[in-house]
Amino acid sequence: MTWLSKSLMHTRGVARGAVGTTHELTEERQGVFHYTIGPYSQPVLHIKPGDRVIVDTRDAFDGKIQTEQDLPSAKLRVPFLNPQNGPIMIEGAEKGDVVAVYIESMLPRGANPRGTCCLIPRFGALTGTDFTAMLNDPLPEITRKIDLDEQGVYWSRRVTLPYRPHIGTLSLSPEIDSINSLTPDSHGGNMDVPDMGPGSITYLPVRSPGARLFIGDAHACQGDGEVCGTAVEYASRTTIHVDLIKSWAIDWPRLETEDQIMVIGSARPLEDATRIAYSELVLWMAKEYGYDKWDAYMMLSQCGKVRLGNFVDPKYSVAAGVEKKYLAPEAE
Amino acid sequence: MTWLSKSLMHTRGVARGAVGTTHELTEERQGVFHYTIGPYSQPVLHIKPGDRVIVDTRDAFDGKIQTEQDLPSAKLRVPFLNPQNGPIMIEGAEKGDVVAVYIESMLPRGANPRGTCCLIPRFGALTGTDFTAMLNDPLPEITRKIDLDEQGVYWSRRVTLPYRPHIGTLSLSPEIDSINSLTPDSHGGNMDVPDMGPGSITYLPVRSPGARLFIGDAHACQGDGEVCGTAVEYASRTTIHVDLIKSWAIDWPRLETEDQIMVIGSARPLEDATRIAYSELVLWMAKEYGYDKWDAYMMLSQCGKVRLGNFVDPKYSVAAGVEKKYLAPEAE
Amino acid sequence: MTWLSKSLMHTRGVARGAVGTTHELTEERQGVFHYTIGPYSQPVLHIKPGDRVIVDTRDAFDGKIQTEQDLPSAKLRVPFLNPQNGPIMIEGAEKGDVVAVYIESMLPRGANPRGTCCLIPRFGALTGTDFTAMLNDPLPEITRKIDLDEQGVYWSRRVTLPYRPHIGTLSLSPEIDSINSLTPDSHGGNMDVPDMGPGSITYLPVRSPGARLFIGDAHACQGDGEVCGTAVEYASRTTIHVDLIKSWAIDWPRLETEDQIMVIGSARPLEDATRIAYSELVLWMAKEYGYDKWDAYMMLSQCGKVRLGNFVDPKYSVAAGVEKKYLAPEAE
Amino acid sequence: MTWLSKSLMHTRGVARGAVGTTHELTEERQGVFHYTIGPYSQPVLHIKPGDRVIVDTRDAFDGKIQTEQDLPSAKLRVPFLNPQNGPIMIEGAEKGDVVAVYIESMLPRGANPRGTCCLIPRFGALTGTDFTAMLNDPLPEITRKIDLDEQGVYWSRRVTLPYRPHIGTLSLSPEIDSINSLTPDSHGGNMDVPDMGPGSITYLPVRSPGARLFIGDAHACQGDGEVCGTAVEYASRTTIHVDLIKSWAIDWPRLETEDQIMVIGSARPLEDATRIAYSELVLWMAKEYGYDKWDAYMMLSQCGKVRLGNFVDPKYSVAAGVEKKYLAPEAE
């Protein structure tokens, strides 16, 4: 029996950890991919709490960058970036609930899987961009194709990186807005938090009927901040187990792993993302773990963990976490 | 003959300054107001370039704050704030064009017009908010009702402010996103720039067929920054003259008055909004006014004007401008 | 009788507006100029409250940029930029007091006065810099020499700008720190606020015995934000009238003109500079002008004025102001 | 033989890893502690490259907070916070060199060592502060005294935290400025990076003759960001081994551990601190590890590590690192 049986998902979810039907969301079944996350698109799948979905995600470039000669400026057009599978409707989900998404596995798709990393003009953390507008010439445009498998990401003759997959973009629909899939916010979106890989559970607030789950943007590996603007973007076969927690009022995405609970804030400047993450974590500890608010705040000052997600997208994402061992009730 | 005849609107617009049909967009005709700006709502009006529209705008609180005992937290519910008239479809407008909106006049509506200013919990520039998350207690919640007419805004027995109306929120639809009416961005939105009053022309980039013009959020007056989060919000009768400029590629809203041209950037942090505004202004001067790019940049360092719009909304807005007299060609 | 007789300087200053001895601080008398503002340098002048000082300031480049072929990277060396006159000791000044500096006049020095404006690599608002680090190539390095006199600044054949001089850098010493003359903070420093010209009074908090007044960085004109990084920098003859206000606890520089009172905040990001300025203004109105704190806050949301000083230096400066007419007590 | 023999310190330092004289810098010998880091204070010790120093540091509150009834606002006075030992002069150090500081050990001082954590009004990441000025009431003022030893930090009956000491403030003198010991910048200062503990080597740029090393602010443990504003502050006996690397031009502090190299940037907003850290790391890899600049940038996007130091001080600190195993030359 794993830690999962004690997770918030298994102890509070409608399905109590039980696994229902397994659905396949192939490219064919998906049909039209989405570039905006909202309540206005046609559902592709209806599932029950406890069901599993095997999702065939496309890479963030929609598979249009096939060789190192394919330049982003020639092949891509804003805002048609970062295609998303979904929306998946979850039976019984209503505003005020939470959807839990446990990532079971992420596998590369295709015979000779390759990832793609691009340096895109006016995009990335160390260059002027559309939002941090500069008059400097842009950086060079570069495309890298990288062989990968479940053993490694073969970056260069010199460097092999570990295969550490995660989902970059995971969302429920906002109530009335529709937000492009490049932008993270309180609905989820393009958070690019490396901890959101196999073995993690993400909790997202439901804001529209049926929740409308979107998923995409698999990364074979990614450093903190995704500093050049892109990870090793690849087409994945991702298996998720989905449950519904009724009447849990959360304002921002939360993450649970074997060892930690985390909150993810997305905002600019980066300190505001960090403030959201830490502030929600303090309030969570006070509300659900028996902490005095000020004790939680002061203790996180001694043991809080921060993960930088993206700091290249229209909003930056930061996760703040605490180890579960510090949440256990006082021993008698 | 006024300066208007030499404006970009009159010299480049399809209607060349001619005035067409006058439409009335009453509350009744509007029917459902909108809280999100996007391509998914039903048009309420179809007009031709050169047409005028008399728009009855509601105040940003939807008229729900009637007395000083009506508190925002009891009467309002996010995201149903800042109701917008529209969408108004403009014949012939296509992606890559620009819609010009000249504000002819703004009058208070009703027999005894009153404006409303609220201190809303966790909203405003000098308090912790949802995005600049703090653990402090919120500020007190306060509602002020203010008598006003075309001669003045009667703030208190001590202070009468000038009636200086402007439109807080003016937008065309994004291409695929739908953005709540509290947020400004490159499509326009909730910019809260005081210069956007009677006598000004706003230029907005068209991104969806028919442009889909939204308008609302009239302010009887407003200081730079709208620092407490709300202006003197009121229900207005606003008359606009609308034209279409074909094939003018602009990325951010622009503003023209008798004396200045301006660009409005919206982003966080505030320096990014300012960078966008100034950077677009430099490029505009280089592209259309015969300036060397570096000369424009260095000259704005000596005579550029900055107006702080809102710095309380999810993105902050800044206008950067230059006086038209400096744009005249060199005398022979 | 001018507005000055009702100014805070004349009504609260030790000298009550009386003019004492006039001192001359020539380049010769100054001898060594200073590039850091602190308590560790040798005084060059001792004055009494009410004395006048005629100060010969050097330009921000120390006069080393003589022709348009003189490039900053060849002629300048960090941190030896922005030379300051002083420190001037003010008799009786102690921690907790305020020094008032009224600028009487600013004249260009020399036979054929010229100003200098440079585009300096990795400096300015629209380029990557040492603090907003980017991997882009720097902008070109450009030097402009500009003829000027009291009638105008002859920017180009096309454009003559008005001569609107102001002092860029005005400081008292911090208590124990010494801060380079490029950086503004609560002690004053390199604020670059265009309102700080002839006819204005600046109030600075005293933090070390004798106050230790520094002054320099005259600009013949400057746009909001000083966006390219430099104004029309010139050598000036600046006449100031100095007084001392005992026991006035202020945390940040304040400015008084005929029509307005302002507070200047300096910080990054820019919203923090603006928050400081507006927040101090609210508290000032509450403490000294009979305003309820929340009334002041809400009213500034309707009539507050914001001036962007520099947004190119290590900290950005913003002034927030209110018109004096709104500060008058309620008429009986 | 440890990894140290291959470290930059041992391979490039003047002493080549050899250990010279051991000095003791007791409280008595230190005499006057310093609250500002600059070239104007009296040296307390002269050492040679390769010498060791055992430093008795005071806690950040100067030992004035003795019980949980001692409140910061009553006991402390700005700017006399965070006392520093030093300056220690290093023989032969000149501008353009680097001083390497290897931390051998950090032990609690005194018979019953206790640490101190305070919630200080208007200080910390989740409250309005002097620089992020808000009108909200401050958070409550709270003092915690925490027993600790080399086995643990006894936070509460419920939680024991690991003893993971590090040095919060480590600096060389700026060239002409003197910077309060609360502020980090390119000279080092109050970075609060948890990796700067026993077993780490910090590299700091020399800017004044003799380097003038300052050290203080020991933390028994600290979370990422030091979110409430203070760590478990304690009086330590810290042993350092110091060496000098001649003619190594670095602009910001660097850190080496057994597994990683890191660069520490300090700025606001937080993205600027992160940009500095990552940008310097890219340039370092290009200059000294045979990386193409764009390859380094893109690879860090896949494997870069970010540590949030303080985000509560006048500037925020971020370390960006890469594992040493990725820096090895390509195998033949």
Side-chain angles (χ1 to χ4, degrees):
Chain A
M1 198 180 73
T2 72
W3 68 272
L4 279 173
S5 64
K6 296 184 178 169
S7 68
L8 296 168
M9 177 176 177
H10 284 219
T11 55
R12 294 199 203 170
V14 168
R16 286 287 182 277
V19 176
T21 308
T22 297
H23 309 262
E24 275 206 79
L25 188 51
T26 59
E27 290 222 19
E28 194 170 34
R29 178 151 188 192
Q30 178 64 44
V32 176
F33 282 73
H34 296 286
Y35 305 92
T36 183
I37 311 293
Y40 306 108
S41 42
Q42 283 300 323
V44 291
L45 193 63
H46 289 76
I47 68 172
K48 288 190 195 327
D51 283 0
R52 296 163 78 235
V53 189
I54 302 171
V55 188
D56 285 352
T57 69
R58 282 190 185 162
D59 75 29
F61 308 116
D62 237 339
K64 291 176 184 161
I65 310 283
Q66 284 297 320
T67 75
E68 298 199 339
Q69 282 65 51
D70 290 342
L71 294 185
S73 62
K75 296 287 178 178
L76 307 176
R77 188 166 85 71
V78 175
F80 302 100
L81 300 172
N82 198 12
Q84 298 295 302
N85 295 74
I88 301 168
M89 308 304 281
I90 293 129
E91 191 178 283
E94 298 169 301
K95 191 172 175 181
D97 298 342
V98 162
V99 164
V101 181
Y102 172 65
I103 300 178
E104 283 187 17
S105 64
M106 296 181 65
L107 303 175
R109 283 204 283 144
N112 296 298
R114 302 176 81 191
T116 307
C117 175
C118 292
L119 214 48
I120 302 173
R122 291 175 65 83
F123 192 65
L126 302 183
T127 177
T129 65
D130 290 351
F131 290 109
T132 304
M134 301 284 174
L135 295 174
N136 305 76
D137 288 335
L139 303 185
E141 196 169 358
I142 298 172
T143 293
R144 291 282 298 270
K145 298 294 292 189
I146 308 109
D147 290 320
L148 59 88
D149 57 30
E150 291 173 66
Q151 276 66 54
V153 175
Y154 306 97
W155 180 260
S156 65
R157 289 175 56 186
R158 190 172 168 181
V159 172
T160 296
L161 299 168
Y163 179 73
R164 291 258 173 76
H166 74 106
I167 281 295
T169 309
L170 188 63
S171 322
L172 300 186
S173 175
E175 187 164 4
I176 58 174
D177 286 0
S178 191
I179 299 177
N180 61 78
S181 52
L182 284 183
T183 302
D185 208 320
S186 66
H187 70 297
N190 190 20
M191 297 169 282
D192 294 319
V193 172
D195 307 82
M196 202 176 283
S200 71
I201 307 168
T202 303
Y203 301 98
L204 296 165
V206 178
R207 290 174 179 156
S208 73
R212 309 181 64 85
L213 176 67
F214 294 81
I215 182 170
D217 193 22
H219 295 166
C221 61
Q222 186 205 292
D224 297 345
E226 200 185 12
V227 65
C228 90
T230 52
V232 176
E233 314 282 341
Y234 78 130
S236 81
R237 166 154 285 207
T238 293
T239 302
I240 57 175
H241 182 209
V242 180
D243 204 348
L244 177 68
I245 300 177
K246 297 295 294 179
S247 301
W248 188 22
I250 69 174
D251 287 327
W252 289 88
R254 297 179 179 186
L255 193 80
E256 182 178 6
T257 61
E258 182 165 2
D259 299 321
Q260 277 194 74
I261 60 169
M262 307 178 96
V263 179
I264 303 169
S266 295
R268 285 193 186 197
L270 197 48
E271 50 264 47
D272 273 2
T274 315
R275 282 170 178 140
I276 291 167
Y278 257 131
S279 160
E280 292 287 311
L281 186 58
V282 167
L283 298 176
W284 189 5
M285 289 168 68
K287 191 164 178 191
E288 303 189 11
Y289 293 96
Y291 268 85
D292 170 78
K293 183 164 65 170
W294 309 122
D295 185 29
Y297 183 31
M298 295 173 84
M299 192 181 88
L300 289 173
S301 200
Q302 316 318 324
C303 66
K305 295 292 175 197
V306 166
R307 171 77 77 178
L308 181 62
N310 98 76
F311 87 115
V312 295
D313 294 318
K315 296 195 177 189
Y316 306 138
S317 295
V318 170
V322 64
E323 290 182 66
K324 286 178 174 176
K325 65 183 172 196
Y326 300 133
L327 302 175
E330 191 181 339
E332 305 280 321
Chain B
M1 197 179 74
T2 71
W3 68 273
L4 278 174
S5 64
K6 296 184 178 170
S7 68
L8 296 168
M9 178 176 176
H10 284 219
T11 55
R12 295 199 204 169
V14 168
R16 286 287 183 275
V19 176
T21 308
T22 297
H23 308 262
E24 274 206 80
L25 188 51
T26 58
E27 290 221 20
E28 194 171 32
R29 177 150 189 192
Q30 177 63 44
V32 175
F33 283 73
H34 296 285
Y35 305 93
T36 183
I37 312 294
Y40 307 107
S41 41
Q42 284 300 324
V44 291
L45 193 62
H46 289 76
I47 69 171
K48 288 191 196 322
D51 284 0
R52 296 163 78 237
V53 188
I54 302 171
V55 188
D56 284 354
T57 68
R58 283 191 184 161
D59 74 29
F61 308 117
D62 238 339
K64 290 177 184 160
I65 310 282
Q66 284 297 322
T67 74
E68 298 198 340
Q69 281 66 51
D70 289 342
L71 295 185
S73 61
K75 296 287 178 179
L76 308 176
R77 188 167 85 72
V78 177
F80 302 100
L81 300 172
N82 197 12
Q84 298 295 302
N85 294 74
I88 301 168
M89 308 304 282
I90 293 128
E91 192 179 280
E94 298 168 301
K95 190 170 176 181
D97 298 341
V98 162
V99 164
V101 180
Y102 172 65
I103 300 177
E104 284 187 18
S105 65
M106 295 180 67
L107 303 175
R109 285 204 283 142
N112 297 297
R114 303 177 82 191
T116 307
C117 175
C118 292
L119 213 49
I120 301 173
R122 292 176 64 85
F123 192 65
L126 303 182
T127 177
T129 66
D130 289 352
F131 290 108
T132 304
M134 301 285 174
L135 296 174
N136 304 76
D137 287 336
L139 303 184
E141 197 170 357
I142 298 173
T143 293
R144 291 282 297 270
K145 296 295 291 188
I146 308 109
D147 290 321
L148 59 88
D149 56 31
E150 290 173 67
Q151 276 66 54
V153 175
Y154 306 97
W155 179 260
S156 64
R157 290 175 55 184
R158 190 172 168 182
V159 172
T160 296
L161 300 168
Y163 179 71
R164 292 257 173 76
H166 75 106
I167 282 295
T169 309
L170 189 63
S171 323
L172 301 186
S173 176
E175 186 164 4
I176 57 173
D177 285 0
S178 190
I179 299 178
N180 62 78
S181 52
L182 285 182
T183 302
D185 208 322
S186 65
H187 71 298
N190 191 20
M191 297 169 282
D192 294 319
V193 172
D195 307 80
M196 202 177 282
S200 70
I201 308 169
T202 303
Y203 302 98
L204 295 166
V206 178
R207 290 178 179 152
S208 73
R212 309 181 65 84
L213 177 67
F214 294 82
I215 182 170
D217 194 22
H219 295 165
C221 62
Q222 185 205 295
D224 298 344
E226 200 186 11
V227 66
C228 92
T230 53
V232 175
E233 315 282 343
Y234 78 130
S236 82
R237 166 154 285 209
T238 293
T239 302
I240 57 176
H241 182 209
V242 180
D243 205 349
L244 178 68
I245 300 177
K246 296 296 294 180
S247 301
W248 189 22
I250 69 174
D251 286 329
W252 289 89
R254 297 180 178 184
L255 193 81
E256 182 179 5
T257 63
E258 182 165 2
D259 299 321
Q260 277 194 75
I261 60 167
M262 306 178 96
V263 180
I264 303 168
S266 296
R268 286 195 184 194
L270 197 49
E271 50 264 47
D272 273 2
T274 314
R275 283 172 178 139
I276 290 167
Y278 257 131
S279 161
E280 291 287 312
L281 185 58
V282 167
L283 298 176
W284 189 5
M285 289 168 68
K287 189 165 179 191
E288 303 189 13
Y289 293 96
Y291 268 84
D292 169 77
K293 183 163 67 170
W294 309 123
D295 185 30
Y297 183 32
M298 294 173 83
M299 193 181 86
L300 289 173
S301 199
Q302 316 317 327
C303 65
K305 295 291 175 196
V306 167
R307 172 76 76 179
L308 181 61
N310 98 77
F311 87 114
V312 295
D313 293 319
K315 295 194 175 188
Y316 305 139
S317 294
V318 171
V322 65
E323 289 182 66
K324 286 178 175 177
K325 65 182 172 196
Y326 300 133
L327 301 175
E330 191 181 338
E332 305 280 322
Chain C
M1 199 179 74
T2 72
W3 67 273
L4 278 173
S5 63
K6 295 184 177 170
S7 68
L8 296 168
M9 179 176 174
H10 284 218
T11 55
R12 294 200 204 169
V14 168
R16 286 286 182 277
V19 175
T21 306
T22 297
H23 309 262
E24 275 207 80
L25 188 52
T26 58
E27 289 222 20
E28 194 171 34
R29 177 150 188 192
Q30 178 64 45
V32 176
F33 282 73
H34 296 285
Y35 305 93
T36 183
I37 311 294
Y40 306 107
S41 41
Q42 283 301 324
V44 291
L45 193 63
H46 290 75
I47 68 171
K48 289 190 196 324
D51 284 359
R52 298 163 78 236
V53 189
I54 302 170
V55 188
D56 285 353
T57 69
R58 285 193 183 159
D59 74 29
F61 309 116
D62 236 339
K64 291 178 184 160
I65 310 282
Q66 284 297 322
T67 75
E68 298 199 340
Q69 283 66 51
D70 290 342
L71 295 185
S73 62
K75 295 288 178 178
L76 307 176
R77 188 167 84 72
V78 176
F80 301 100
L81 300 171
N82 197 12
Q84 299 294 303
N85 295 74
I88 301 169
M89 309 304 281
I90 294 128
E91 190 178 283
E94 298 168 302
K95 190 170 176 182
D97 298 340
V98 162
V99 164
V101 180
Y102 172 64
I103 300 178
E104 283 188 16
S105 65
M106 294 180 66
L107 303 175
R109 284 204 283 145
N112 297 297
R114 305 176 80 192
T116 306
C117 174
C118 291
L119 214 47
I120 302 173
R122 293 175 65 83
F123 192 66
L126 303 182
T127 177
T129 64
D130 289 351
F131 290 109
T132 303
M134 301 285 174
L135 295 174
N136 305 77
D137 287 336
L139 303 184
E141 195 170 358
I142 298 173
T143 293
R144 290 282 298 271
K145 297 294 292 189
I146 307 109
D147 289 322
L148 60 89
D149 57 30
E150 291 174 67
Q151 276 66 53
V153 175
Y154 306 98
W155 180 260
S156 64
R157 289 176 53 186
R158 189 171 169 182
V159 172
T160 295
L161 300 168
Y163 178 73
R164 291 259 172 75
H166 74 106
I167 281 294
T169 309
L170 189 62
S171 323
L172 301 185
S173 175
E175 187 165 3
I176 57 173
D177 284 1
S178 190
I179 300 178
N180 62 78
S181 52
L182 285 182
T183 301
D185 207 321
S186 66
H187 70 297
N190 190 21
M191 298 170 281
D192 294 319
V193 172
D195 306 82
M196 202 176 284
S200 70
I201 308 169
T202 303
Y203 302 98
L204 296 166
V206 178
R207 290 176 179 154
S208 73
R212 308 181 66 85
L213 176 67
F214 294 82
I215 182 170
D217 195 22
H219 295 165
C221 62
Q222 186 205 292
D224 297 344
E226 200 186 12
V227 66
C228 91
T230 52
V232 176
E233 313 284 342
Y234 77 131
S236 82
R237 167 157 283 211
T238 293
T239 303
I240 57 177
H241 182 208
V242 180
D243 204 351
L244 177 68
I245 300 177
K246 296 295 293 178
S247 301
W248 188 21
I250 70 174
D251 286 329
W252 289 87
R254 297 180 178 183
L255 193 80
E256 182 178 6
T257 63
E258 181 164 3
D259 299 321
Q260 277 194 75
I261 60 168
M262 307 178 96
V263 180
I264 303 169
S266 295
R268 286 195 183 194
L270 197 49
E271 51 265 46
D272 274 1
T274 315
R275 283 172 179 139
I276 291 167
Y278 257 131
S279 160
E280 292 287 312
L281 186 58
V282 167
L283 298 176
W284 188 6
M285 289 168 68
K287 189 165 179 192
E288 302 189 12
Y289 293 97
Y291 268 85
D292 170 78
K293 183 164 67 171
W294 309 122
D295 185 30
Y297 182 34
M298 295 173 83
M299 192 181 90
L300 289 173
S301 199
Q302 315 317 326
C303 65
K305 296 291 176 199
V306 167
R307 170 78 76 178
L308 181 61
N310 98 78
F311 88 114
V312 295
D313 293 318
K315 295 195 175 189
Y316 305 139
S317 294
V318 170
V322 65
E323 290 182 66
K324 285 178 175 176
K325 66 183 172 197
Y326 300 134
L327 302 175
E330 190 181 338
E332 305 280 321
Chain D
M1 197 178 77
T2 72
W3 67 274
L4 279 173
S5 63
K6 296 184 178 170
S7 68
L8 296 167
M9 178 175 176
H10 285 218
T11 55
R12 294 200 204 168
V14 168
R16 287 285 183 277
V19 176
T21 306
T22 297
H23 309 262
E24 274 206 80
L25 188 52
T26 58
E27 289 221 19
E28 194 171 33
R29 177 149 187 193
Q30 177 63 44
V32 176
F33 282 74
H34 296 285
Y35 305 93
T36 184
I37 312 292
Y40 307 107
S41 40
Q42 284 300 324
V44 292
L45 192 63
H46 290 75
I47 68 172
K48 289 188 195 326
D51 284 1
R52 298 163 78 234
V53 188
I54 302 170
V55 188
D56 285 353
T57 69
R58 283 190 183 162
D59 74 30
F61 308 117
D62 237 340
K64 291 177 183 161
I65 310 283
Q66 284 297 321
T67 75
E68 298 198 341
Q69 281 67 50
D70 290 342
L71 296 185
S73 62
K75 295 288 177 177
L76 308 176
R77 187 166 86 73
V78 175
F80 302 100
L81 300 172
N82 198 11
Q84 298 295 302
N85 296 73
I88 301 169
M89 308 304 281
I90 293 128
E91 191 179 283
E94 298 169 302
K95 192 172 177 183
D97 298 340
V98 162
V99 165
V101 180
Y102 172 65
I103 300 178
E104 284 189 16
S105 65
M106 295 181 66
L107 303 175
R109 285 204 282 144
N112 297 297
R114 304 176 80 191
T116 307
C117 175
C118 292
L119 214 47
I120 302 173
R122 294 175 64 84
F123 192 66
L126 302 182
T127 179
T129 65
D130 290 351
F131 290 108
T132 304
M134 301 284 173
L135 295 175
N136 306 76
D137 287 335
L139 303 184
E141 195 169 357
I142 298 173
T143 293
R144 292 282 296 271
K145 297 295 292 189
I146 308 110
D147 289 321
L148 61 88
D149 57 31
E150 289 173 68
Q151 275 69 53
V153 174
Y154 306 97
W155 180 260
S156 65
R157 289 175 56 184
R158 191 172 168 181
V159 172
T160 296
L161 300 167
Y163 179 72
R164 291 257 174 76
H166 74 104
I167 281 295
T169 309
L170 188 63
S171 322
L172 300 186
S173 175
E175 187 164 3
I176 58 173
D177 285 1
S178 192
I179 300 177
N180 62 78
S181 52
L182 284 182
T183 301
D185 208 320
S186 65
H187 70 297
N190 190 20
M191 298 170 281
D192 294 320
V193 172
D195 306 81
M196 200 175 286
S200 70
I201 308 169
T202 302
Y203 302 98
L204 296 165
V206 179
R207 291 175 178 154
S208 73
R212 307 180 66 84
L213 176 67
F214 293 82
I215 183 170
D217 194 23
H219 295 165
C221 62
Q222 186 205 291
D224 297 344
E226 199 185 14
V227 67
C228 91
T230 52
V232 176
E233 315 282 342
Y234 77 130
S236 83
R237 165 155 284 207
T238 292
T239 303
I240 57 176
H241 182 210
V242 180
D243 204 349
L244 177 68
I245 299 177
K246 296 297 293 179
S247 301
W248 189 21
I250 69 174
D251 286 329
W252 288 88
R254 297 180 178 184
L255 193 80
E256 182 178 6
T257 61
E258 181 165 2
D259 299 321
Q260 278 194 75
I261 60 168
M262 309 177 94
V263 179
I264 303 169
S266 295
R268 287 194 182 194
L270 197 49
E271 50 265 48
D272 273 2
T274 316
R275 284 172 178 139
I276 291 167
Y278 257 132
S279 161
E280 292 286 311
L281 185 58
V282 166
L283 298 176
W284 188 7
M285 289 168 67
K287 189 163 180 194
E288 303 189 13
Y289 294 96
Y291 268 84
D292 169 79
K293 183 163 67 170
W294 309 122
D295 184 30
Y297 183 33
M298 296 173 82
M299 192 180 88
L300 288 174
S301 199
Q302 316 318 326
C303 66
K305 295 293 176 195
V306 167
R307 171 77 76 177
L308 181 61
N310 99 76
F311 88 114
V312 295
D313 294 319
K315 297 195 174 188
Y316 305 138
S317 295
V318 170
V322 65
E323 289 182 65
K324 286 179 176 177
K325 65 182 172 198
Y326 300 133
L327 301 176
E330 191 181 337
E332 305 279 321

